[in-house]
Amino acid sequence: MTHCSDEALILHHYGEDTTHERHLASCAECDARYRDLASVLQAVNVVQTPARGEHYGIEVWQRIRHQLPEREPWWRAFIDEWQWAAVAAAAVVLVAAGFAVGRLWPALPAESIAVRSEAAV
Ligand SMILES: [Zn+2]
């Protein structure tokens, strides 16, 4: 004869599994275990959770949001603060190089510009 497991007895106590009723009625050992287990489970106070209001999530957020660290933008994860100086310096160098190249690049003769504009028409 297979006796009921403790899990089955607990489920039976809470009314979630009624398949062991016949075995409990015919087996004194399981019935005794069930009565012991039921007395322990009845001694445990079941705390009823309070009903949550419609705005429970917002209330919780308002309560804890000041305790959370400031959220950084996603791109800050890629660049540390000390790297900002390098990024700024690189940007300045690129702008200066672009300006210098624009000033020093040999300009096309006026004739070739006229020929190109006529060919385009
Ligand atoms: Zn049994």
Side-chain angles (χ1 to χ4, degrees):
M1 176 186 298
T2 304
H3 295 290
C4 297
S5 66
D6 288 343
E7 291 82 14
L9 295 176
I10 291 171
L11 292 175
H12 179 75
H13 176 75
Y14 289 114
E16 296 180 15
D17 185 7
T18 58
T19 59
H20 302 284
E21 285 185 25
R22 294 177 71 192
H23 181 80
L24 286 173
S26 62
C27 179
E29 183 181 334
C30 287
D31 188 49
R33 284 181 43 230
Y34 174 71
R35 278 189 264 129
D36 288 344
L37 187 64
S39 66
V40 170
L41 292 175
Q42 286 174 352
V44 175
N45 290 331
V46 177
V47 177
Q48 297 294 327
T49 56
R52 293 181 176 156
E54 186 176 319
H55 303 290
Y56 178 74
I58 295 172
E59 292 170 5
V60 170
W61 176 248
Q62 293 297 331
R63 231 180 304 147
I64 65 170
R65 66 183 256 193
H66 301 292
Q67 301 170 5
L68 298 174
E70 190 72 26
R71 189 175 187 181
E72 293 186 359
W74 62 270
W75 45 266
R76 288 292 301 256
F78 298 108
I79 301 175
D80 290 333
E81 290 184 16
W82 64 271
Q83 290 175 326
W84 276 112
V87 170
V92 167
V93 167
L94 282 174
V95 168
F99 180 76
V101 167
R103 295 284 292 174
L104 299 175
W105 198 266
L108 290 175
E111 301 166 359
S112 68
I113 294 174
V115 170
R116 284 187 179 179
S117 62
E118 287 175 9
V121 175

